[in-house]
Amino acid sequence: MAEASDERLVNSKLLHGACYALSDDQHFALKEAISERFSIAPHQDIFLVGSARLGFSIAPHKRYRRFGDASDIDVAIVSHDLYEKVWHEAHAYADSGADWPRRSRFEQYISWGWIRPDMLPRSPSFQFSEDWRQFFRELQQSRKFGPYKIAGALYHDMRFLTQYQQRAVKSCREAMEDL
């Protein structure tokens, strides 16, 4: 029963609905900019998550910390095609004999169905990393979305994004039950 209510909470509050940190117009404009850059649907493939969505964090290491000036706007992009493209590029990079400091962490996230671009190689021969960082840096520097850093993560499909969010909700619920 708790899992069903966790899923409902994720879908109704963590992935959809109002966004704490941005006005409706800013929220739409951010999703539209990301949609145009990556050729994905703004309302079914792009989600603002975390403290920017709720006004506080539910991540275990910063649970219930309020969204503030030092906070990030976290964006979850769900795109099987883009995920596959990056995954295959990372595989080819590794297969070439190249290595990178965060490779094992990258592989761990892959097993959870998402790619954290900050775990990708930083190399001129792996252009996606620099293109991704530059795009999100430009969004931040535009200041159209406030003074916040904007960070994106790439999910293979909705199931992985929903499960990740459900684990955070479950952790919060269990912590409250222990009080």
Side-chain angles (χ1 to χ4, degrees):
M1 184 67 176
E3 287 179 16
S5 63
D6 290 350
E7 182 177 5
R8 184 169 175 22
L9 180 64
V10 165
N11 285 315
S12 67
K13 302 295 182 196
L14 275 67
L15 299 179
H16 302 284
C19 179
Y20 176 84
L22 300 176
S23 70
D24 289 345
D25 288 341
Q26 288 174 311
H27 186 184
F28 180 79
L30 178 58
K31 290 171 77 167
E32 192 172 53
I34 294 166
S35 168
E36 288 173 12
R37 171 63 180 86
F38 296 107
S39 301
I40 55 179
H43 302 299
Q44 66 187 43
D45 297 336
I46 303 167
F47 302 88
L48 272 66
V49 295
S51 63
R53 160 85 52 204
L54 295 172
F56 60 92
S57 178
I58 61 170
H61 62 284
K62 51 187 174 178
R63 186 171 292 138
Y64 309 127
R65 186 181 310 157
R66 294 188 55 77
F67 183 86
D69 292 339
S71 298
D72 295 352
I73 294 176
D74 294 314
V75 180
I77 298 172
V78 179
S79 171
H80 174 80
D81 293 341
L82 185 57
Y83 183 97
E84 292 277 319
K85 175 186 180 298
V86 176
W87 186 16
H88 287 284
E89 287 180 21
H91 174 73
Y93 184 82
D95 202 38
S96 74
D99 200 8
W100 66 95
R102 294 180 163 187
R103 180 176 172 178
S104 65
R105 293 285 292 159
F106 169 79
E107 291 169 346
Q108 183 179 28
Y109 281 95
I110 282 284
S111 73
W112 294 331
W114 60 298
I115 293 173
R116 278 190 43 182
D118 61 325
M119 301 291 164
L120 290 169
R122 290 186 179 222
S123 167
S125 60
F126 198 88
Q127 191 59 42
F128 179 85
S129 292
E130 185 52 36
D131 292 347
W132 182 278
R133 278 190 282 283
Q134 183 62 31
F135 173 73
F136 281 96
R137 198 170 22 247
E138 288 170 3
L139 286 176
Q140 177 185 354
Q141 290 170 347
S142 76
R143 302 188 69 79
K144 292 178 185 176
F145 312 104
Y148 313 108
K149 176 184 175 193
I150 301 172
L154 183 56
Y155 286 81
H156 184 266
D157 58 39
M158 278 304 295
R159 183 171 144 215
F160 286 111
L161 173 58
T162 303
Q163 286 176 342
Y164 176 77
Q165 297 295 323
Q166 280 182 256
R167 282 191 299 274
V169 168
K170 180 180 177 184
S171 177
C172 289
R173 182 177 35 78
E174 289 172 348
M176 295 297 293
E177 289 170 357
D178 290 342
L179 293 178

